[in-house]
């Protein structure tokens, strides 16, 4: 059974309300040789927030997210993980999610805001039958298309393992990037309505 989910969900599932515009999204995946991943996400928003806003962050079937924290304008927010339950899913667009992390941001002064999240997960090895063997890396981006305007800029970085850039294999229906001066795998997108996600393999 699928569960329709109507809560206002930030960057992932945006319902047109409040005069907020997502200007920039920076995503950093720090990877270890053992497949431990720490993710940092920084959202820059412009606009007025005249009342409290309910938001959430998705957890997919690929990984259980741990040590999940959220900061709004540098202040920590309370986060509650909600499970869909057995044989149920939170259903948003084409996404079917087993769990979400719910939180609320307060009424805020000014027109420039920052929302930051950090979390970790243990990835898994792909067996190499249809793609190279290695650790699977993922970040869901396409639900950002729920915003009423394009995202001005998205920056995505994979870092943390020596010569990591040379070991990145781009999976189908993902975004291509390139090596930067620090040896990181970098993707920069401008003025987009995301239609796919960041999906890669860190090859052995």
């Amino acid at each position: 059974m699928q569960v329709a989910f109507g809560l206002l969900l930030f960057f992932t599932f945006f319902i047109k309300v409040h005069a907020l515009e997502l200007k920039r999204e920076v995503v950093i995946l720090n990877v270890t040789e053992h497949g431990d991943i720490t993710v940092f996400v920084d959202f820059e928003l412009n606009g007025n927030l005249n009342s409290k806003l309910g938001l959430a962050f998705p957890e997919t079937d690929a990984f259980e997210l741990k040590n999940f924290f959220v900061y709004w304008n540098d202040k920590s927010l309370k986060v509650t993980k909600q499970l869909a339950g057995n044989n149920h899913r939170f259903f948003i667009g084409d996404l079917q999610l087993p769990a979400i992390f719910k939180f609320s941001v307060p009424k805020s002064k000014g027109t420039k805001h920052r929302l930051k999240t950090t979390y970790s997960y243990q990835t898994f090895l792909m067996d190499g039958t249809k793609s190279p063997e290695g650790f699977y890396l993922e970040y869901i981006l396409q639900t950002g298309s729920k915003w009423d305007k394009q995202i001005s800029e998205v920056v995505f970085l994979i870092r943390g393992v020596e010569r990591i850039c040379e070991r990145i294999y781009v999976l189908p229906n993902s975004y291509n990037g390139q090596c930067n001066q620090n040896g990181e795998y970098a993707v920069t997108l401008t003025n987009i309505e995301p239609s796919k996600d960041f999906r890669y393999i860190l090859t052995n």
Side-chain angles (χ1 to χ4, degrees), residues 23-102:
K23 296 295 294 182
R24 191 168 190 256
E25 180 176 349
V26 178
V27 183
I28 300 173
L29 269 65
N30 280 315
V31 186
T32 73
E33 286 285 0
H34 303 292
D36 297 310
I37 315 295
T38 303
V39 183
F40 301 92
V41 191
D42 187 354
F43 303 93
E44 297 180 17
L45 301 104
N46 290 351
N48 297 308
L49 187 58
N50 298 319
S51 61
K52 183 170 70 173
L53 182 62
L55 311 173
F57 193 98
E59 180 177 272
T60 69
D61 288 307
F63 316 108
E64 179 184 0
L65 306 187
K66 300 179 180 180
N67 305 311
F68 190 93
F69 297 97
V70 179
Y71 304 88
W72 174 255
N73 293 331
D74 294 325
K75 293 184 178 180
S76 179
L77 300 180
K78 180 181 178 180
V79 180
T80 303
K81 183 175 181 178
Q82 182 174 340
L83 302 176
N86 293 334
N87 301 317
H88 290 73
R89 287 291 188 269
F90 296 114
F91 181 69
I92 303 294
D94 294 332
L95 283 179
Q96 299 182 44
L97 306 170
I100 55 171
F101 291 85
K102 296 171 59 178

Side-chain angles (χ1 to χ4, degrees), residues 138-156:
E138 174 189 85
Y139 180 80
I140 300 299
L141 181 70
Q142 62 180 304
T143 46
S145 63
K146 299 301 180 182
W147 284 86
D148 61 335
K149 294 183 180 180
Q150 292 181 325
I151 303 175
S152 299
E153 183 179 43
V154 177
V155 177
F156 177 84

Side-chain angles (χ1 to χ4, degrees), residues 9 19 73 77-78 85 124 137 149 158 162 171:
L9 295 134
N73 293 331
L77 300 180
K78 180 181 178 180
F124 56 87
L137 307 177
K149 294 183 180 180
I158 304 175
E162 186 178 357
L171 287 165

